Amino acid sequence: MPRTYRRILERTGVALGLALASTMFVASPASAHDLSSIVTSEQGCGWPNGSYSVLDWADIPDRRNNITLATGYLLWNGQYQENCVVTKRVGQAHGVTGFTEAILERQGKNPVSDSGQYAHYAAASAYAAGTCVKWWSSIQTLGGGPIYGTGRSSWGNCG
C-alpha cells in the first residue's frame, strides 16, 4: 500500500481502516472480467504465461428465474502441467457478491478448491500430469437461495 494511503489511514482512525479492510475482503479475488485475465491472475489459475486450453465447460442456470448465473470451466496448461477449474459469475450474477466455488479432484491426490463470497470468480488449480480429474463449479442463486452446480463426477481427461 503506498505510503500516502498509509498516512491517510493513520490520521483517519481505526473506523476507516476497518471499513477499508472489509471492502477489500469482499472484493477478493480480483475482479477479472474475462477468462484470460482469470488464467493469469494469482487469485485465479496463476499461470503467468497465459496459455490454456478449455477441456470442458458448462453454464450454471437458475431455472426458477430463467437466467444463467455462472459458467464452469476445466482448463489445462501444458507448460505447467496443471488443470484449473474456474467458476465465472456471468450475466446478472457478475459483480454481485455471493457464494462461488471451484473444485478440482485429481485421482489419488487430495482435492483442491476455492470457495467464498466472491463477486467475479472462484478458481482452483493444481499439478495434474499423468492423472485423471473430476471437476465441479457451483454458485448460490441471487438473494441467497439454493446452490446450483455443474461439472463432471466421473474420472476423465486422463493423461
Side-chain angles (χ1 to χ4, degrees):
M1 180 182 315
R3 191 177 317 176
T4 305
Y5 291 124
R6 202 172 305 132
R7 285 185 198 145
I8 291 170
L9 286 176
E10 289 170 359
R11 291 179 185 156
T12 307
V14 175
L16 179 59
L18 291 172
L20 180 61
S22 67
T23 301
M24 288 175 23
F25 177 77
V26 170
S28 182
S31 60
H33 296 277
D34 61 39
L35 195 54
S36 295
S37 297
I38 296 169
V39 163
T40 58
S41 169
E42 276 299 313
Q43 293 84 18
C45 300
W47 298 337
N49 73 356
S51 177
Y52 66 94
S53 300
V54 177
L55 301 178
D56 199 3
W57 69 275
D59 288 333
I60 305 173
D62 176 349
R63 291 190 190 352
R64 291 184 316 165
N65 296 306
N66 199 31
I67 61 172
T68 300
L69 297 169
T71 303
Y73 298 92
L74 174 64
L75 309 175
W76 171 255
N77 184 303
Q79 179 180 342
Y80 303 117
Q81 300 288 289
E82 289 185 352
N83 280 116
C84 182
V85 175
V86 173
T87 305
K88 184 178 179 295
R89 299 175 73 88
V90 300
Q92 293 177 0
H94 177 84
V96 177
T97 300
F99 179 78
T100 312
E101 180 176 52
I103 301 171
L104 173 64
E105 192 172 341
R106 300 161 297 153
Q107 198 167 27
K109 300 184 185 323
N110 290 331
V112 293
S113 64
D114 177 29
S115 64
Q117 298 294 315
Y118 300 140
H120 298 283
Y121 66 88
S125 63
Y127 182 79
T131 188
C132 301
V133 297
K134 297 178 186 179
W135 68 279
W136 191 255
S137 288
S138 57
I139 183 172
Q140 188 169 27
T141 58
L142 299 174
I147 295 173
Y148 293 113
T150 191
R152 186 182 57 231
S153 59
S154 60
W155 296 114
N157 297 94
C158 305

